[in-house]
Amino acid sequence: MTSRLREQVAIVTGGADGIGQSIVKLFCDQGAKVCIADINEDLGNEFANQLTSQGYKALFVKTDVSDLDSVNNMVNETNKKFGAPTILINNAGIIYQSKDPLAVTKDQWDKSISVNVEGMWNCAKAVLPYMKAARSGSIVNLGSVHSFNIVPEHFPYAVTKHAIIGLTKNLAVEFGEFNIRVNTLCPGMTETPAAFKWFAESGDAEATRKAMGDIHPLKRNASCEEIAYPALFLASNESSFMTGQSLIIDGGRSIVYQ
Ligand SMILES: NC(=O)c1ccc[n+]([C@@H]2O[C@H](COP(=O)([O-])OP(=O)(O)OC[C@H]3O[C@@H](n4cnc5c(N)ncnc54)[C@H](O)[C@@H]3O)[C@@H](O)[C@H]2O)c1
Protein backbone atom coordinates (compact mmCIF):
# COMPACT_ATOMS: atom_id res chain seq x y z
CA MET A 1 0.00 0.00 0.00
CA THR A 2 1.24 3.50 -0.86
CA SER A 3 -0.09 6.61 0.79
CA ARG A 4 -0.97 9.43 -1.56
CA LEU A 5 -4.19 9.88 0.50
CA ARG A 6 -2.91 9.29 4.02
CA GLU A 7 -5.16 10.88 6.70
CA GLN A 8 -7.85 11.61 4.11
CA VAL A 9 -11.53 10.81 4.55
CA ALA A 10 -13.18 10.31 1.18
CA ILE A 11 -16.80 9.91 0.14
CA VAL A 12 -17.40 8.24 -3.23
CA THR A 13 -20.99 8.38 -4.43
CA GLY A 14 -22.05 5.52 -6.67
CA GLY A 15 -19.03 3.72 -5.22
CA ALA A 16 -20.53 0.23 -5.28
CA ASP A 17 -20.08 -0.37 -9.01
CA GLY A 18 -18.37 0.80 -12.21
CA ILE A 19 -16.01 3.77 -12.16
CA GLY A 20 -16.90 4.56 -8.52
CA GLN A 21 -15.93 1.07 -7.40
CA SER A 22 -12.47 1.43 -8.98
CA ILE A 23 -12.04 4.83 -7.32
CA VAL A 24 -12.96 3.36 -3.91
CA LYS A 25 -10.43 0.53 -4.33
CA LEU A 26 -7.64 2.85 -5.42
CA PHE A 27 -8.33 5.40 -2.66
CA CYS A 28 -8.35 2.64 0.00
CA ASP A 29 -5.10 1.38 -1.40
CA GLN A 30 -3.65 4.89 -1.12
CA GLY A 31 -4.43 5.06 2.59
CA ALA A 32 -7.78 6.89 2.63
CA LYS A 33 -10.74 6.00 4.81
CA VAL A 34 -13.58 5.69 2.35
CA CYS A 35 -17.36 5.89 2.56
CA ILE A 36 -19.15 4.08 -0.26
CA ALA A 37 -22.37 6.06 -0.72
CA ASP A 38 -24.61 4.14 -3.06
CA ILE A 39 -28.29 3.38 -3.55
CA ASN A 40 -27.54 -0.33 -4.17
CA GLU A 41 -27.50 -1.88 -0.69
CA ASP A 42 -26.50 -5.43 -1.67
CA LEU A 43 -23.53 -4.43 -3.81
CA GLY A 44 -22.45 -1.71 -1.37
CA ASN A 45 -22.48 -3.97 1.70
CA GLU A 46 -20.71 -6.79 -0.12
CA PHE A 47 -17.99 -4.45 -1.41
CA ALA A 48 -17.45 -2.75 1.99
CA ASN A 49 -17.22 -6.16 3.72
CA GLN A 50 -14.71 -7.37 1.15
CA LEU A 51 -12.55 -4.25 1.67
CA THR A 52 -12.68 -4.35 5.48
CA SER A 53 -11.79 -8.06 5.49
CA GLN A 54 -8.66 -7.10 3.53
CA GLY A 55 -7.72 -4.56 6.23
CA TYR A 56 -8.92 -1.42 4.44
CA LYS A 57 -10.95 1.30 6.16
CA ALA A 58 -14.26 1.28 4.30
CA LEU A 59 -17.85 1.98 5.24
CA PHE A 60 -21.04 1.54 3.26
CA VAL A 61 -23.99 3.88 3.83
CA LYS A 62 -27.08 3.38 1.71
CA THR A 63 -27.62 6.75 0.04
CA ASP A 64 -29.85 8.28 -2.56
CA VAL A 65 -27.93 11.35 -3.71
CA SER A 66 -31.13 12.99 -4.94
CA ASP A 67 -32.52 13.02 -1.38
CA LEU A 68 -30.87 15.65 0.85
CA ASP A 69 -31.89 13.89 4.12
CA SER A 70 -30.31 10.66 2.89
CA VAL A 71 -27.13 12.56 1.93
CA ASN A 72 -26.95 14.38 5.30
CA ASN A 73 -27.32 11.05 7.09
CA MET A 74 -24.48 9.54 5.01
CA VAL A 75 -22.15 12.46 5.73
CA ASN A 76 -22.98 12.27 9.48
CA GLU A 77 -22.24 8.53 9.52
CA THR A 78 -18.94 9.12 7.73
CA ASN A 79 -17.96 11.83 10.19
CA LYS A 80 -18.86 9.61 13.17
CA LYS A 81 -16.84 6.65 11.91
CA PHE A 82 -13.84 8.26 10.19
CA GLY A 83 -13.90 11.99 10.98
CA ALA A 84 -14.68 14.99 8.79
CA PRO A 85 -14.74 14.33 5.05
CA THR A 86 -11.86 15.91 3.14
CA ILE A 87 -12.59 14.49 -0.33
CA LEU A 88 -15.89 14.14 -2.18
CA ILE A 89 -16.09 12.23 -5.45
CA ASN A 90 -19.48 13.07 -6.94
CA ASN A 91 -19.65 10.03 -9.21
CA ALA A 92 -23.24 8.70 -8.96
CA GLY A 93 -25.08 9.26 -12.19
CA ILE A 94 -27.74 7.73 -14.36
CA ILE A 95 -27.76 7.57 -18.11
CA TYR A 96 -31.16 8.29 -19.49
CA GLN A 97 -31.13 9.29 -23.13
CA SER A 98 -33.74 9.51 -25.83
CA LYS A 99 -33.58 9.70 -29.62
CA ASP A 100 -36.45 12.18 -29.46
CA PRO A 101 -36.30 14.98 -26.87
CA LEU A 102 -40.06 15.50 -27.25
CA ALA A 103 -40.64 11.92 -26.05
CA VAL A 104 -38.90 12.53 -22.71
CA THR A 105 -41.47 12.45 -19.91
CA LYS A 106 -41.47 14.86 -16.97
CA ASP A 107 -40.46 11.98 -14.69
CA GLN A 108 -37.46 11.09 -16.87
CA TRP A 109 -36.40 14.74 -17.04
CA ASP A 110 -36.85 15.24 -13.28
CA LYS A 111 -34.97 12.04 -12.40
CA SER A 112 -32.05 12.94 -14.69
CA ILE A 113 -31.72 16.40 -13.18
CA SER A 114 -32.28 15.28 -9.57
CA VAL A 115 -29.67 12.50 -9.62
CA ASN A 116 -27.06 13.90 -12.02
CA VAL A 117 -27.13 17.59 -11.06
CA GLU A 118 -29.01 18.15 -7.81
CA GLY A 119 -27.42 14.98 -6.38
CA MET A 120 -23.95 16.48 -6.83
CA TRP A 121 -25.05 19.75 -5.25
CA ASN A 122 -26.70 17.90 -2.32
CA CYS A 123 -23.45 16.07 -1.56
CA ALA A 124 -21.32 19.19 -1.96
CA LYS A 125 -23.71 21.13 0.29
CA ALA A 126 -23.41 18.46 3.00
CA VAL A 127 -19.57 18.27 3.02
CA LEU A 128 -18.71 21.94 2.44
CA PRO A 129 -19.28 23.05 6.07
CA TYR A 130 -16.72 20.44 7.22
CA MET A 131 -14.27 21.48 4.50
CA LYS A 132 -14.74 25.17 5.30
CA ALA A 133 -14.03 24.52 8.98
CA ALA A 134 -10.87 22.57 8.08
CA ARG A 135 -9.91 25.10 5.37
CA SER A 136 -9.15 22.21 3.09
CA GLY A 137 -11.03 19.99 0.69
CA SER A 138 -11.23 18.57 -2.80
CA ILE A 139 -14.45 17.90 -4.68
CA VAL A 140 -14.40 16.01 -7.98
CA ASN A 141 -17.55 15.97 -10.09
CA LEU A 142 -17.92 13.33 -12.81
CA GLY A 143 -18.72 15.00 -16.10
CA SER A 144 -18.25 13.35 -19.48
CA VAL A 145 -17.32 13.99 -23.09
CA HIS A 146 -21.03 14.94 -23.15
CA SER A 147 -20.10 17.96 -20.98
CA PHE A 148 -18.73 19.86 -24.00
CA ASN A 149 -20.26 18.54 -27.20
CA ILE A 150 -23.64 17.21 -28.14
CA VAL A 151 -23.71 13.65 -29.40
CA PRO A 152 -27.06 13.27 -31.18
CA GLU A 153 -29.75 11.23 -29.42
CA HIS A 154 -28.40 11.75 -25.88
CA PHE A 155 -31.05 14.12 -24.51
CA PRO A 156 -31.22 14.96 -21.60
CA TYR A 157 -28.03 13.20 -20.40
CA ALA A 158 -25.89 15.82 -22.18
CA VAL A 159 -27.91 18.63 -20.54
CA THR A 160 -27.03 17.28 -17.09
CA LYS A 161 -23.36 16.78 -17.95
CA HIS A 162 -23.09 20.36 -19.26
CA ALA A 163 -24.69 21.62 -16.03
CA ILE A 164 -21.97 19.92 -13.97
CA ILE A 165 -19.34 22.16 -15.57
CA GLY A 166 -21.31 25.18 -14.31
CA LEU A 167 -21.68 23.69 -10.84
CA THR A 168 -17.94 23.00 -10.68
CA LYS A 169 -16.93 26.52 -11.77
CA ASN A 170 -19.44 28.23 -9.50
CA LEU A 171 -18.37 26.28 -6.39
CA ALA A 172 -14.68 26.70 -7.27
CA VAL A 173 -15.07 30.49 -7.27
CA GLU A 174 -17.20 30.64 -4.11
CA PHE A 175 -15.08 28.29 -1.98
CA GLY A 176 -11.53 28.86 -3.28
CA GLU A 177 -10.75 31.26 -0.41
CA PHE A 178 -11.25 28.33 2.01
CA ASN A 179 -8.68 26.22 0.15
CA ILE A 180 -11.45 24.04 -1.23
CA ARG A 181 -10.85 22.90 -4.80
CA VAL A 182 -13.58 21.76 -7.17
CA ASN A 183 -12.85 20.12 -10.54
CA THR A 184 -14.67 18.07 -13.15
CA LEU A 185 -13.35 14.74 -14.39
CA CYS A 186 -14.63 13.94 -17.89
CA PRO A 187 -14.27 10.35 -19.06
CA GLY A 188 -14.86 9.02 -22.55
CA MET A 189 -16.53 5.64 -23.06
CA THR A 190 -15.56 3.53 -20.07
CA GLU A 191 -16.27 -0.17 -19.76
CA THR A 192 -18.56 -0.28 -16.74
CA PRO A 193 -21.64 -2.47 -16.12
CA ALA A 194 -23.78 0.44 -17.37
CA ALA A 195 -21.76 0.58 -20.59
CA PHE A 196 -22.01 -3.19 -21.15
CA LYS A 197 -25.78 -2.99 -20.66
CA TRP A 198 -25.89 -0.28 -23.30
CA PHE A 199 -23.66 -2.29 -25.71
CA ALA A 200 -26.03 -5.25 -25.29
CA GLU A 201 -29.11 -3.17 -26.16
CA SER A 202 -27.81 -2.93 -29.75
CA GLY A 203 -28.27 -6.69 -30.19
CA ASP A 204 -24.55 -7.27 -30.86
CA ALA A 205 -22.70 -6.20 -27.73
CA GLU A 206 -19.20 -7.03 -28.99
CA ALA A 207 -19.65 -5.19 -32.30
CA THR A 208 -20.97 -2.08 -30.50
CA ARG A 209 -18.16 -2.25 -27.98
CA LYS A 210 -15.60 -2.35 -30.80
CA ALA A 211 -17.37 0.40 -32.80
CA MET A 212 -17.32 2.66 -29.74
CA GLY A 213 -13.66 1.89 -29.17
CA ASP A 214 -12.87 2.78 -32.78
CA ILE A 215 -14.14 6.38 -32.46
CA HIS A 216 -11.30 7.06 -30.00
CA PRO A 217 -7.86 7.74 -31.53
CA LEU A 218 -6.51 5.13 -29.09
CA LYS A 219 -8.92 2.64 -30.75
CA ARG A 220 -10.40 1.30 -27.53
CA ASN A 221 -12.62 2.22 -24.61
CA ALA A 222 -11.25 3.08 -21.15
CA SER A 223 -11.03 0.69 -18.23
CA CYS A 224 -12.41 1.90 -14.89
CA GLU A 225 -8.87 2.02 -13.46
CA GLU A 226 -7.87 4.48 -16.20
CA ILE A 227 -10.47 6.90 -14.79
CA ALA A 228 -9.67 6.16 -11.13
CA TYR A 229 -6.04 7.34 -11.42
CA PRO A 230 -6.96 10.82 -12.75
CA ALA A 231 -9.56 11.00 -9.92
CA LEU A 232 -6.72 10.30 -7.48
CA PHE A 233 -4.67 13.13 -9.00
CA LEU A 234 -7.59 15.58 -8.67
CA ALA A 235 -8.43 14.44 -5.13
CA SER A 236 -4.88 14.60 -3.82
CA ASN A 237 -2.55 17.52 -3.16
CA GLU A 238 -0.75 16.71 -6.40
CA SER A 239 -3.28 19.03 -8.08
CA SER A 240 -3.13 21.65 -5.29
CA PHE A 241 -3.21 24.72 -7.62
CA MET A 242 -5.95 23.37 -9.88
CA THR A 243 -9.56 24.41 -9.41
CA GLY A 244 -12.63 25.02 -11.56
CA GLN A 245 -11.11 22.97 -14.36
CA SER A 246 -12.11 19.98 -16.46
CA LEU A 247 -9.77 17.05 -16.91
CA ILE A 248 -10.73 15.16 -20.07
CA ILE A 249 -9.73 11.48 -20.11
CA ASP A 250 -11.19 10.25 -23.37
CA GLY A 251 -8.49 8.52 -25.43
CA GLY A 252 -8.45 11.61 -27.69
CA ARG A 253 -12.13 11.31 -28.70
CA SER A 254 -12.95 14.99 -28.21
CA ILE A 255 -10.21 16.28 -30.52
CA VAL A 256 -11.56 14.46 -33.57
CA TYR A 257 -13.68 16.57 -35.95
CA GLN A 258 -16.50 14.37 -37.26
N1 LIG B 1 -19.27 4.61 -18.27
C1 LIG B 1 -19.00 5.61 -19.09
O1 LIG B 1 -18.70 5.40 -20.28
C2 LIG B 1 -19.01 7.03 -18.59
C3 LIG B 1 -18.47 8.02 -19.42
C4 LIG B 1 -18.47 9.33 -18.97
C5 LIG B 1 -18.97 9.66 -17.74
N2 LIG B 1 -19.49 8.68 -16.94
C6 LIG B 1 -20.03 9.09 -15.64
O2 LIG B 1 -19.33 8.40 -14.62
C7 LIG B 1 -20.21 8.15 -13.50
C8 LIG B 1 -20.25 6.66 -13.19
O3 LIG B 1 -20.69 5.97 -14.34
P1 LIG B 1 -20.67 4.37 -14.43
O4 LIG B 1 -20.67 4.04 -15.87
O5 LIG B 1 -19.62 3.83 -13.53
O6 LIG B 1 -22.13 4.02 -13.87
P2 LIG B 1 -22.69 2.64 -13.26
O7 LIG B 1 -24.15 2.63 -13.59
O8 LIG B 1 -21.85 1.48 -13.68
O9 LIG B 1 -22.53 2.87 -11.69
C9 LIG B 1 -23.22 3.93 -11.09
C10 LIG B 1 -23.36 3.68 -9.59
O10 LIG B 1 -24.17 4.76 -9.09
C11 LIG B 1 -25.17 4.22 -8.23
N3 LIG B 1 -26.33 5.12 -8.22
C12 LIG B 1 -27.25 5.33 -9.20
N4 LIG B 1 -28.18 6.20 -8.78
C13 LIG B 1 -27.83 6.58 -7.51
C14 LIG B 1 -28.40 7.47 -6.56
N5 LIG B 1 -29.54 8.13 -6.81
N6 LIG B 1 -27.77 7.61 -5.38
C15 LIG B 1 -26.63 6.93 -5.10
N7 LIG B 1 -26.06 6.07 -5.96
C16 LIG B 1 -26.65 5.89 -7.15
C17 LIG B 1 -25.49 2.85 -8.84
O11 LIG B 1 -26.10 1.99 -7.89
C18 LIG B 1 -24.11 2.38 -9.28
O12 LIG B 1 -23.43 1.69 -8.24
C19 LIG B 1 -21.57 8.73 -13.91
O13 LIG B 1 -21.70 10.04 -13.40
C20 LIG B 1 -21.50 8.75 -15.43
O14 LIG B 1 -22.35 9.71 -15.99
C21 LIG B 1 -19.52 7.37 -17.34
Side-chain angles (χ1 to χ4, degrees):
M1 188 179 23
T2 42
S3 53
R4 288 161 72 184
L5 295 180
R6 200 160 33 130
E7 308 294 322
Q8 301 297 317
V9 176
I11 291 169
V12 182
T13 70
D17 212 349
I19 292 171
Q21 190 187 63
S22 284
I23 293 174
V24 170
K25 267 191 209 144
L26 181 61
F27 283 20
C28 281
D29 213 35
Q30 294 295 328
K33 298 168 188 163
V34 183
C35 172
I36 303 159
D38 201 292
I39 203 163
N40 188 325
E41 200 164 11
D42 291 344
L43 273 186
N45 273 322
E46 190 188 322
F47 186 34
N49 289 339
Q50 186 193 320
L51 289 167
T52 45
S53 72
Q54 292 166 357
Y56 294 116
K57 302 259 186 279
L59 161 75
F60 171 69
V61 183
K62 186 181 180 190
T63 311
D64 178 354
V65 294
S66 66
D67 174 349
L68 187 56
D69 289 341
S70 170
V71 167
N72 282 331
N73 171 61
M74 175 275 290
V75 173
N76 284 338
E77 291 299 314
T78 305
N79 184 43
K80 260 197 268 166
K81 173 117 181 160
F82 292 144
T86 57
I87 294 168
L88 167 65
I89 308 294
N90 261 329
N91 164 78
I94 52 169
I95 305 183
Y96 177 75
Q97 59 209 21
S98 171
K99 287 188 178 57
D100 177 7
L102 296 180
V104 173
T105 65
K106 180 166 168 38
D107 274 0
Q108 289 162 340
W109 168 267
D110 287 349
K111 186 105 202 281
S112 298
I113 300 290
S114 68
V115 176
N116 290 6
V117 186
E118 198 176 356
M120 294 201 183
W121 168 229
N122 285 341
C123 294
K125 197 173 175 182
V127 300
L128 278 164
Y130 292 101
M131 292 180 173
K132 261 180 90 172
R135 295 205 154 249
S136 178
S138 177
I139 298 177
V140 180
N141 298 324
L142 267 284
S144 167
V145 286
H146 297 272
S147 293
F148 306 100
N149 296 302
I150 300 300
V151 179
E153 304 181 350
H154 283 73
F155 185 91
Y157 181 66
V159 176
T160 67
K161 290 297 173 186
H162 273 65
I164 290 162
I165 301 292
L167 178 69
T168 294
K169 288 182 177 177
N170 211 323
L171 296 182
V173 167
E174 297 297 342
F175 293 94
E177 67 179 296
F178 303 105
N179 189 32
I180 297 166
R181 300 181 301 106
V182 190
N183 290 290
T184 312
L185 176 59
C186 300
M189 176 56 78
T190 308
E191 294 194 343
T192 64
F196 277 106
K197 191 167 158 252
W198 183 75
F199 297 154
E201 280 166 14
S202 68
D204 186 344
E206 195 41 44
T208 306
R209 177 187 182 212
K210 183 169 180 331
M212 284 309 301
D214 282 346
I215 65 175
H216 300 81
L218 289 178
K219 298 298 170 202
R220 63 180 180 82
N221 302 311
S223 70
C224 291
E225 291 71 25
E226 287 175 308
I227 307 304
Y229 275 96
L232 172 60
F233 167 71
L234 290 177
S236 75
N237 274 336
E238 291 159 21
S239 58
S240 56
F241 201 53
M242 181 173 176
T243 196
Q245 305 302 311
S246 302
L247 185 57
I248 303 174
I249 308 293
D250 70 347
R253 177 177 172 181
S254 57
I255 59 167
V256 180
Y257 183 83
Q258 282 167 330

